[in-house]
């Protein structure tokens, strides 16, 4: 038997949840129109699906043809293609799903277009000739039907006859829906940036770190450095200085932050130095805003990308520096399919591109610290705060188990003192809602989510129970589902809502705001709450971990951390590590100005 003939085929990561690449022939588009990184439309089963062309391979099996090429040039730089394929392989995900997650969110659409062939129409009936006369260049079926005064079915019948006679051609055109570009409001020319940080204003510790990482950027070896700096030591200023050098060398930088709310402060500080050269990428953007930022990055109009974990997939062509701020934070792990850890992908991206990778934290994760200790990563330290300002005085206070009060009397008095002095306070508790569970007093049954089998959290607004995992919502039942007891429920545990309510009773004249997923479900609302606190329009900010990361409030002089030991009991092997990190980070927001600070745990 003769060997099967092999031919060149296109390898496509189709946007379907299957862990493989698929082969297609070129068809009319030809090999010349295919550049790795362009999006294409391919037949998949009985439907048409988008995908990303990745390269050529040889095959001896019969393949279907690519129907259309959607991009004139590559949407994904080679380094990003390599990172996406590594991510798909390591996290056991479908390559197409990774690429679909990365690129701007757009829907694939199809329209039918008719075009005249030029054949003489002498023998065509009057009705069909009238249709042909309407087709000047190209018309979509919807437009042609409207002009001819026909329904879609009537036009289809007439068009089929004209196509069989060779008078008309029918073809499919594919495109992505694209809403009007929407620039981000904080990047507008009317923005009021902060005062830029001068190169001469760095401490000796900062200068040493800047020089060390700058040398790594020149070497292009992809070296990873842990920057372990106490809270308030000026890690952000180091990031800015290094980004300046990355841009000056003709390249760019990606700066990752753990929370979308943190981009607000980072963008403002970076904007003062880089202006419109920065772009923002995170899941809170609208599809139009994301496409605008993606386009600016791809064209090279933005050399600095700031964002949450998805920003690691920015389409930057020449990456010189990747910064992961608060690298220990669990938010860098994608909690839904396709899964990935942006901090670990930053290390891989450095290896692919040769970019220097900087992992910054006051409380580094154990694995990063271990890698720094054994020499796999470099290790730099910032051991002093800016201007040698003292760390806040930290004091631990035992809860009174016999009292219903959430705070010892001394804590309430300290909050009142700060208000009288015109200073601000933070009350940190890493739980939303009013109570962590609703429990029957008779049979001791705890109300659980029917979907997730976790306890429902009581929210006093609306007197309802919510699941913080899937969003299930239920009113407070009149009877216990298990034993039938009438309304004999106890509300156990404490959340931000209950803390805010009790503080409002104890300090009725205080201006109190709460920052959690309930009060700030969108980035705009989170930014507004933070801005009011920064502008000293709020006396006390009650919040979850959204308040504990990276913020720099000069007038914040007192922090109370509620129920810190409860976090140790979480069913998580990292509970001790995360408790240490949360408490340290929350305490680190305090006393960053000239007034000093105090923390009560």
């Amino acid at each position: 038997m003769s060997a099967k003939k092999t031919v060149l085929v296109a390898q496509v990561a189709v946007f379907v949840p299957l862990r493989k690449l698929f082969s297609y022939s070129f068809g009319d588009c030809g090999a010349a129109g295919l550049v790795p990184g362009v999006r294409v439309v391919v037949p998949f089963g009985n439907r048409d699906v988008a995908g990303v062309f990745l390269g050529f391979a040889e095959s001896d099996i019969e393949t279907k043809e690519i129907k259309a090429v959607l991009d004139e040039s590559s949407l994904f730089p080679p380094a990003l293609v390599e990172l996406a394929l590594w991510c798909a392989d390591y996290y056991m995900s479908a390559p197409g799903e990774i690429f679909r997650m990365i690129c701007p969110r757009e829907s694939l659409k199809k329209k039918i277009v008719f075009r005249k062939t030029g054949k003489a129409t002498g023998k065509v009936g009057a009705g069909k000739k009238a249709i042909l006369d309407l087709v000047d260049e190209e018309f979509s079926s919807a437009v042609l039907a409207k002009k001819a005064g026909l329904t879609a079915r009537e036009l289809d019948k007439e068009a089929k006859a004209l196509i069989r006679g060779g008078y008309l051609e029918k073809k499919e055109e594919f495109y992505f829906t694209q809403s009007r570009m929407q620039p981000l409001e904080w990047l507008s020319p009317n923005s009021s940036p902060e005062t830029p940080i001068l190169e001469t204003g760095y401490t000796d510790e900062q200068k040493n770190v800047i020089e060390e990482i700058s040398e790594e950027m020149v070497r292009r070896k992809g070296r990873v450095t842990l920057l372990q700096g106490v809270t308030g030591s000026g890690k952000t200023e180091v990031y800015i200085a290094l980004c300046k050098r990355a841009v000056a060398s003709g390249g760019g930088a990606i700066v990752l932050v753990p929370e979308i709310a943190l981009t607000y402060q980072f963008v403002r500080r970076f904007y003062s130095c880089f202006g419109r050269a920065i772009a923002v990428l995170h899941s809170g953007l609208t599809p139009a805003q994301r496409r605008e930022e993606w386009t600016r990055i791809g064209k090279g109009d933005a050399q600095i990308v700031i964002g949450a974990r998805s920003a690691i997939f920015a389409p930057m062509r020449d990456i010189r520096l990747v910064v992961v701020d608060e690298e220990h934070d669990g938010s860098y792990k994608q909690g839904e399919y396709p899964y990935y850890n942006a901090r670990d992908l930053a290390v891989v991206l450095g290896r692919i591109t040769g970019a220097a990778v900087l992992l910054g934290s006051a409380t580094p994760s154990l694995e990063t610290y271990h890698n720094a200790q054994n020499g796999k990563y470099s290790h730099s330290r910032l051991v002093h705060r800016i201007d040698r300002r003292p760390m806040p005085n930290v004091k631990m206070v035992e809860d009174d188990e016999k009292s219903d009060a959430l705070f010892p009397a001394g804590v309430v008095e300290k909050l009142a003192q700060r208000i009288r002095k015109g200073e601000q306070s933070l009350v940190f508790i890493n739980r939303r809602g009013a109570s962590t569970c609703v429990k029957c007093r008779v049979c001791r049954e705890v109300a659980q989510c029917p979907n997730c089998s976790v306890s429902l959290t009581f929210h006093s607004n609306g007197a309802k129970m919510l699941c913080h995992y899937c969003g299930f919502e239920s009113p407070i039942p009149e009877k216990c589902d298990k034993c039938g007891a009438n309304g004999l429920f106890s509300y156990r545990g404490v959340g931000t809502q209950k803390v805010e309510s009790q503080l409002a009773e104890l300090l009725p004249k205080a201006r109190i705001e709460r920052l959690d997923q309930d009060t700030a479900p969108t980035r705009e609302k989170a930014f507004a709450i933070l801005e009011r606190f920064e502008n000293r329009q709020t006396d006390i900010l009650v919040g979850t971990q959204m308040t504990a990361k990276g913020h720099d409030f000069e007038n914040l002089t007192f922090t109370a951390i509620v129920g810190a030991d409860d976090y140790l009991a979480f069913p998580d092997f990292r509970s001790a590590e995360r408790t240490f990190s949360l408490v340290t980070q929350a305490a680190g927001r305090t006393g960053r100005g000239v007034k000093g600070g105090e923390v009560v745990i």
Side-chain angles (χ1 to χ4, degrees), residues 2-131:
S2 60
K4 288 186 178 181
K5 183 181 178 182
T6 60
V7 294
L8 206 61
V9 294
Q11 294 287 97
V12 179
V14 183
F15 291 174
V16 294
L18 293 172
R19 291 184 55 205
K20 60 180 292 188
L21 301 179
F22 294 88
S23 299
Y24 290 88
S25 58
F26 314 144
D28 296 335
C29 66
L34 290 171
V35 180
V38 296
R39 289 173 297 178
V40 296
V41 178
V42 296
F44 195 87
N46 60 355
R47 59 196 174 111
D48 298 318
V49 184
V52 178
F53 166 68
L54 298 177
F56 298 103
E58 289 189 341
S59 175
D60 59 1
I61 61 173
E62 188 176 342
T63 58
K64 296 179 180 179
E65 291 185 357
I66 291 175
K67 287 196 168 186
V69 179
L70 298 171
D71 302 306
E72 293 181 1
S73 58
S74 175
L75 197 67
F76 304 90
L80 183 51
V81 171
E82 189 175 346
L83 180 68
L85 292 176
W86 187 95
C87 181
D89 178 64
Y90 186 80
Y91 293 104
M92 295 186 289
S93 302
E97 294 288 86
I98 297 291
F99 282 103
R100 175 158 57 181
M101 172 188 69
I102 293 172
C103 63
R105 297 185 289 271
E106 299 167 327
S107 299
L108 180 66
K109 299 293 183 182
K110 177 176 76 171
K111 65 180 179 180
I112 306 299
V113 174
F114 295 106
R115 183 172 57 198
K116 285 193 292 190
T117 61
K119 183 178 177 180
T121 58
K123 296 183 180 181
V124 178
K128 292 181 175 60
K129 192 172 188 307
I131 292 175

Side-chain angles (χ1 to χ4, degrees), residues 468-486:
H468 289 170
Y469 287 89
C470 71
F472 173 80
E473 181 177 323
S474 170
I476 300 297
E478 294 181 1
K479 296 181 178 180
C480 173
D481 291 338
K482 187 175 182 181
C483 71
N486 284 317

Side-chain angles (χ1 to χ4, degrees), residues 482-495:
K482 187 175 182 181
C483 71
N486 284 317
L488 297 173
F489 298 108
S490 62
Y491 301 92
R492 312 297 290 269
V494 180

Side-chain angles (χ1 to χ4, degrees), residues 172-465:
E172 297 172 328
E173 285 193 355
F174 298 88
Y175 61 97
F176 281 112
T177 55
Q178 293 189 347
S179 51
R180 188 170 57 86
M181 291 290 196
Q182 229 181 338
L184 296 175
E185 65 274 11
W186 58 72
L187 297 182
S188 66
N190 297 325
S191 296
S192 53
E194 295 183 348
T195 305
I197 300 157
L198 303 176
E199 290 280 349
T200 55
Y202 298 115
T203 65
D204 290 338
E205 288 182 342
Q206 288 175 315
K207 290 175 184 176
N208 291 336
V209 173
I210 292 166
E211 292 306 319
E212 289 171 11
I213 309 301
S214 296
E215 289 176 9
E216 295 297 341
M217 283 195 283
V218 173
R219 290 194 189 102
R220 302 303 299 269
K221 298 292 185 181
R223 181 70 171 165
V224 182
T225 301
L226 166 62
L227 176 58
Q228 186 177 1
V230 299
T231 54
S233 59
K235 292 187 291 292
T236 304
E237 285 79 2
V238 171
Y239 304 156
I240 291 173
L242 291 170
C243 286
K244 284 182 179 178
R245 298 199 179 187
V247 173
S249 66
I254 297 174
V255 181
L256 300 184
V257 294
E259 297 273 3
I260 293 176
L262 271 181
T263 59
Y264 165 76
Q265 193 161 7
F266 263 71
V267 167
R268 288 183 59 200
R269 299 182 75 171
F270 275 72
Y271 186 71
S272 65
C273 298
F274 301 101
R276 288 284 297 175
I278 65 172
V280 179
L281 282 181
H282 55 66
S283 60
L285 302 182
T286 65
Q289 288 172 335
R290 187 174 180 85
R291 183 165 58 90
E292 166 82 1
E293 297 299 271
W294 181 276
T295 303
R296 292 177 58 238
I297 298 164
K299 288 181 177 178
D301 295 338
Q303 292 82 44
I304 307 293
V305 177
I306 301 173
R309 58 179 176 261
S310 61
I312 193 63
F313 296 110
M316 188 172 285
R317 303 281 168 180
D318 186 5
I319 304 172
R320 303 293 177 91
L321 174 70
V322 182
V323 174
V324 184
D325 187 44
E326 311 292 3
E327 65 82 28
H328 63 275
D329 200 283
S331 300
Y332 285 120
K333 296 179 75 172
Q334 171 89 340
E336 56 191 28
Y337 183 82
Y339 305 102
Y340 66 92
N341 187 319
R343 179 202 61 196
D344 295 345
L345 287 184
V347 175
V348 176
L349 184 60
R351 191 165 66 227
I352 292 171
T353 62
V357 180
L358 185 60
L359 308 179
S361 177
T363 55
S365 61
L366 290 181
E367 57 267 42
T368 298
Y369 188 75
H370 175 69
N371 286 334
Q373 290 292 92
N374 66 19
K376 186 176 180 179
Y377 297 168
S378 298
H379 196 176
S380 297
R381 288 181 172 87
L382 299 174
V383 298
H384 298 103
R385 281 188 160 184
I386 297 294
D387 296 333
R388 301 271 174 156
R389 290 173 186 163
M391 299 296 289
N393 178 38
V394 180
K395 181 180 177 182
M396 297 184 70
V397 177
E398 289 285 340
D399 285 329
D400 185 354
E401 298 289 343
K402 297 178 181 179
S403 171
D404 291 332
L406 296 181
F407 310 101
V411 170
V412 178
E413 178 55 32
K414 288 179 186 297
L415 290 168
Q417 285 175 2
R418 261 52 187 196
I419 295 172
R420 289 194 292 268
K421 291 180 180 179
E423 297 170 4
Q424 294 167 285
S425 303
L426 169 66
V427 177
F428 174 80
I429 176 167
N430 203 30
R431 284 201 190 98
R432 294 156 54 197
S435 298
T436 52
C437 67
V438 179
K439 191 172 186 177
C440 176
R441 294 178 188 267
V442 178
C443 68
R444 320 300 288 173
E445 181 75 4
V446 174
Q448 289 194 329
C449 173
N451 305 319
C452 307
S453 298
V454 298
S455 60
L456 294 170
T457 301
F458 172 62
H459 287 246
S460 56
N461 287 352
K464 58 190 176 185
M465 301 183 294

